[in-house]
Amino acid sequence: MDKKKVLVIGGGFGGVYAAKTLERQGRDKVEVELVNANNYFVFQPLLPEVAAATIHSSDAVVPLRQLLRRLQVRQAAVRGIDFEMKTVIVVQGSRLTPIELKYDELVIALGTSVDLKRFPGLREHALTMKNLADAHRLRNHVIGCLETADVTTEPDVKQQLLTFVVVGAGFSGVETVAEVRELLHHALKYYLNIRPDEVRVYLIEYADRILPTFPADLAEYATRRLRINGIQVVTGVGTKSATGTSVELNNGTVIPTSTIVATIGNGPHALVDALDLDLHWGRIKTDRFMRVPRHDGVWALGDAALIPLVEQPAEDPSHYAPQTAQFAVREGRQLAQNILAKIEKTELKPFAYTSKGSLASLGMSKAVAEVYGVKLSGTLAWLLWRGFYLQFFPGFAGKLRVLVNWLLNVVTPPNIVQVQATSPATRYIHYRKGDKVLEPGMVIDGLYTVIKGSLRLTIDNPETGEHFEKLFGQGDHFGDRVLPKSVLCTGLVVALEDTTVLWISQREFTRFVRAYPFLENYFKESSGAGARAQYSRP
Ligand SMILES: Cc1cc2nc3c(=O)[nH]c(=O)nc-3n(C[C@H](O)[C@H](O)[C@H](O)COP(=O)(O)OP(=O)(O)OC[C@H]3O[C@@H](n4cnc5c(N)ncnc54)[C@H](O)[C@@H]3O)c2cc1C
């Protein structure tokens, strides 16, 4: 029997467990490929500990190639899906050339995005807590605030720097605020000019209680515990807007702060939102077997999907699988078995799973837990939390690394180095004579300006036989067509001599140009003229 090609897009809990099960149970029936933006799987429940410097950032992730040893892993960004042609379009590596991947069965496991546009200023000023880079950024940001607060002579600035606000009190908000508080607690003794009573930490929640998925008494315990640890828990109040120096709540309170962490605003993944899919609450509607209606061979799971748990679901979130790792793992296994059942022409099984419980860490060696209906709180719950996540963490090597991190923390001081690792928005690129700068079909990812040397653009149209050439000397630029959105290069750009080019990323270029109307007009005109020239001249 010819093997069917199963393409899994997204290497989080859902995608990884689906791929793993397909590989284990369907090796002779399917060829599996998993596409993920990074070459690692992120264990999201440990991200707050990465932010708190309890766990080294690379120890909260697992290389996908080690996790899925027998199947093809591709580090690439998914840019589009053609359901008619059963093709996924990805870009990979630095050449940014779109590549088409064929599939017989497609599993969409892309998770969700953070959508803060309802709150003016929050998108621009809030940190988020979704991936490894977010956790790393938060850790560096908090340490940076302490560094400046320790030496500033302006009381207002100091107060702002020492006020930390986390918005949203679900799992990730509660664990994030608790871990940030713990980091501050351990770090403060090294900052001689900061008194502990100068530090303020807030947890802001719109609902009238925190941890909505936990029983009320455990949520109350968690609130008390967070308050004992010095966190001001504010419930029943939403966030209205934010600036670089404050956050405004919808009861009119303005909190001066340099740190806002938003764990709210789960929105649809941008790609999912742009596709011809039926969405509800920002998630892809599936049937109980996790098939996506209207598209043959397409399945969805995890946070991205809205999977009914009952035959006739109503407008009630409890009728659908919740967005948790616990569910995503089970969905992955069931979905894989359903794909195999489809290939073998046997009966598919609806997804059914009942949560075994919930655990949330509250920092300072305390947690709340509800497991198989048994409620626990305090240190015992915290030990259970650690034991559970250690056992849940994939792979022996990964478990060992996490354990070593935890043990090291008992005997060593917190690691308060501020490691900055941001990719530059501009850079010089040197080309030798004859080097290709861009080729037809590559994604133009920014503005290129010639600083020294020269380049030649050639465009050949095989259908009409038209040939177009253009030279770029010092001060000339191309790529300004990326202003509205990234586009594909239609020609070949080659260095005519040793050449230096200034590259500005599309995002930064667009932001900068939009700030100056005269620049925006200039680039609109120049890109329009360029485009006209390219297509009209023989
Ligand atoms: C801070 C935090 C703490 C949490 N704590 C808990 C907890 O204690 N217990 C619990 O059960 N759940 C917890 N969760 C929720 C849980 O992590 C999610 O429900 C789970 O990760 C969902 O799995 P997923 O596979 O659907 O999505 P994700 O794990 O988000 O994976 C999506 C994957 O798709 C990839 N991707 C996205 N776009 C593209 C693209 N265009 N091209 C290629 N790849 C792409 C991403 O890189 C990512 O690897 C927590 C979440 C967070 C953020």
Side-chain angles (χ1 to χ4, degrees):
M1 183 170 78
D2 270 355
K3 285 189 181 180
K4 296 279 182 197
K5 172 81 189 265
V6 182
L7 198 59
V8 180
I9 53 172
F13 281 97
V16 161
Y17 281 83
K20 230 174 157 54
T21 311
L22 281 165
E23 198 281 320
R24 276 198 193 140
Q25 300 183 11
R27 207 168 296 165
D28 49 339
K29 297 177 198 79
V30 289
E31 181 200 328
V32 186
E33 177 166 348
L34 181 134
V35 182
N36 195 51
N38 303 304
N39 83 336
Y40 51 77
F41 158 83
V42 181
F43 195 84
Q44 288 186 355
L46 288 185
L47 288 180
E49 296 213 18
V50 173
T54 310
I55 291 187
H56 189 271
S57 53
S58 65
D59 293 337
V61 299
V62 186
L64 283 168
R65 288 180 189 281
Q66 287 172 10
L67 203 54
L68 306 165
R69 288 190 67 169
R70 292 203 205 86
L71 55 85
Q72 178 63 51
V73 171
R74 183 186 294 261
Q75 182 182 1
V78 177
R79 287 288 182 109
I81 304 173
D82 186 334
F83 294 117
E84 287 290 304
M85 301 302 293
K86 293 202 156 193
T87 313
V88 168
I89 298 109
V90 304
V91 289
Q92 59 194 34
S94 58
R95 286 172 57 78
L96 295 177
T97 312
I99 290 172
E100 293 186 352
L101 305 175
K102 290 269 173 212
Y103 65 81
D104 295 304
E105 305 293 330
L106 174 68
V107 180
I108 304 178
L110 293 169
T112 51
S113 301
V114 180
D115 178 8
L116 298 174
K117 57 178 177 293
R118 280 183 297 134
F119 312 96
L122 212 58
R123 189 166 45 170
E124 291 75 16
H125 299 292
L127 298 159
T128 49
M129 185 48 98
K130 199 82 185 134
N131 55 43
L132 196 59
D134 292 339
H136 197 65
R137 205 172 294 129
L138 176 58
R139 171 188 184 281
N140 281 328
H141 177 86
V142 171
I143 295 169
C145 287
L146 295 180
E147 292 295 338
T148 315
D150 192 62
V151 290
T152 185
T153 50
E154 294 173 53
D156 290 356
V157 173
K158 188 175 189 186
Q159 187 56 74
Q160 200 178 293
L161 287 163
L162 293 178
T163 304
F164 303 87
V165 179
V166 175
V167 180
F171 267 124
S172 52
V174 166
E175 293 190 343
T176 301
V177 81
E179 292 296 333
V180 166
R181 184 71 195 93
E182 187 160 351
L183 169 64
L184 292 167
H185 172 79
H186 293 305
L188 276 185
K189 55 171 120 21
Y190 302 99
Y191 293 88
L192 305 183
N193 299 317
I194 304 174
R195 293 190 322 271
D197 65 322
E198 288 179 294
V199 174
R200 287 183 198 152
V201 183
Y202 290 88
L203 177 65
I204 311 291
E205 169 56 49
Y206 180 69
D208 54 11
R209 55 166 279 200
I210 68 168
L211 292 172
T213 54
F214 278 78
D217 50 349
L218 284 185
E220 270 164 35
Y221 171 87
T223 307
R224 275 200 312 278
R225 199 67 242 172
L226 294 175
R227 286 185 174 142
I228 290 169
N229 292 347
I231 297 163
Q232 304 194 36
V233 181
V234 183
T235 52
V237 181
T239 308
K240 192 171 166 199
S241 63
T243 66
T245 54
S246 68
V247 57
E248 186 183 359
L249 308 184
N250 61 12
N251 63 3
T253 308
V254 175
I255 305 174
T257 177
S258 301
T259 310
I260 309 163
V261 187
T263 63
I264 54 171
N266 239 3
H269 188 285
L271 178 73
V272 163
D273 201 22
L275 291 168
D276 171 29
L277 293 165
D278 300 329
L279 301 187
H280 190 54
W281 299 328
R283 297 157 73 184
I284 305 167
K285 278 166 115 177
T286 72
D287 62 14
R288 293 196 64 197
F289 308 100
M290 292 170 274
R291 293 176 300 198
V292 175
R294 300 194 290 113
H295 298 296
D296 177 46
V298 181
W299 311 71
L301 81 167
D303 285 4
L306 190 65
I307 304 166
L309 295 171
V310 293
E311 204 51 60
Q312 299 287 337
E315 276 293 287
D316 177 350
S318 72
H319 288 187
Y320 296 91
Q323 291 167 298
T324 66
Q326 196 184 143
F327 271 76
V329 166
R330 271 67 180 196
E331 290 160 17
R333 292 188 184 133
Q334 182 64 60
L335 188 151
Q337 285 162 1
N338 280 350
I339 289 182
L340 296 175
K342 178 183 170 191
I343 293 168
E344 289 161 358
K345 298 193 173 34
T346 56
E347 207 177 322
L348 275 60
K349 278 202 193 129
F351 176 70
Y353 176 71
T354 313
S355 170
K356 301 288 175 277
S358 306
L359 299 121
S361 167
L362 306 173
M364 305 301 211
S365 311
K366 299 282 185 286
V368 280
E370 192 209 10
V371 184
Y372 294 107
V374 179
K375 294 179 194 169
L376 289 169
S377 56
T379 310
L380 191 62
W382 179 76
L383 288 171
L384 187 70
W385 184 93
R386 285 214 153 170
F388 175 76
Y389 281 111
L390 196 59
Q391 164 267 320
F392 194 21
F393 198 94
F396 176 72
K399 288 187 204 324
L400 194 61
R401 285 200 193 97
V402 171
L403 187 63
V404 169
N405 274 273
W406 282 341
L407 293 175
L408 269 179
N409 269 298
V410 179
V411 290
T412 57
N415 188 351
I416 49 171
V417 286
Q418 192 193 23
V419 190
Q420 302 280 19
T422 48
S423 35
T426 66
R427 64 190 152 97
Y428 287 119
I429 311 176
H430 301 285
Y431 297 98
R432 279 190 204 288
K433 182 178 176 184
D435 279 354
K436 289 174 184 167
V437 178
L438 287 170
E439 289 178 64
M442 280 175 75
V443 176
I444 307 180
D445 54 338
L447 179 79
Y448 293 71
T449 305
V450 179
I451 301 297
K452 182 172 76 71
S454 58
L455 305 168
R456 183 180 58 218
L457 161 74
T458 49
I459 304 175
D460 286 301
N461 187 333
E463 281 167 21
T464 61
E466 285 175 330
H467 175 78
F468 168 74
E469 273 193 24
K470 188 173 176 182
L471 295 183
F472 295 93
Q474 194 179 344
D476 289 341
H477 54 77
F478 59 91
D480 30 343
R481 282 195 294 146
V482 299
L483 247 186
K485 62 180 170 104
S486 52
V487 291
L488 295 187
C489 184
T490 48
L492 173 69
V493 181
V494 178
L496 295 176
E497 56 191 302
D498 289 0
T499 299
T500 303
V501 164
L502 173 72
W503 172 87
I504 309 177
S505 84
Q506 182 204 355
R507 201 172 104 115
E508 310 306 330
F509 168 56
T510 309
R511 273 186 181 176
F512 186 74
V513 166
R514 288 206 172 134
Y516 301 96
F518 77 94
L519 273 183
E520 191 166 22
N521 288 339
Y522 165 75
F523 279 113
K524 266 187 190 150
E525 276 171 27
S526 78
S527 76
R532 271 198 306 283
Q534 285 170 24
Y535 299 120
S536 62
R537 278 175 49 177

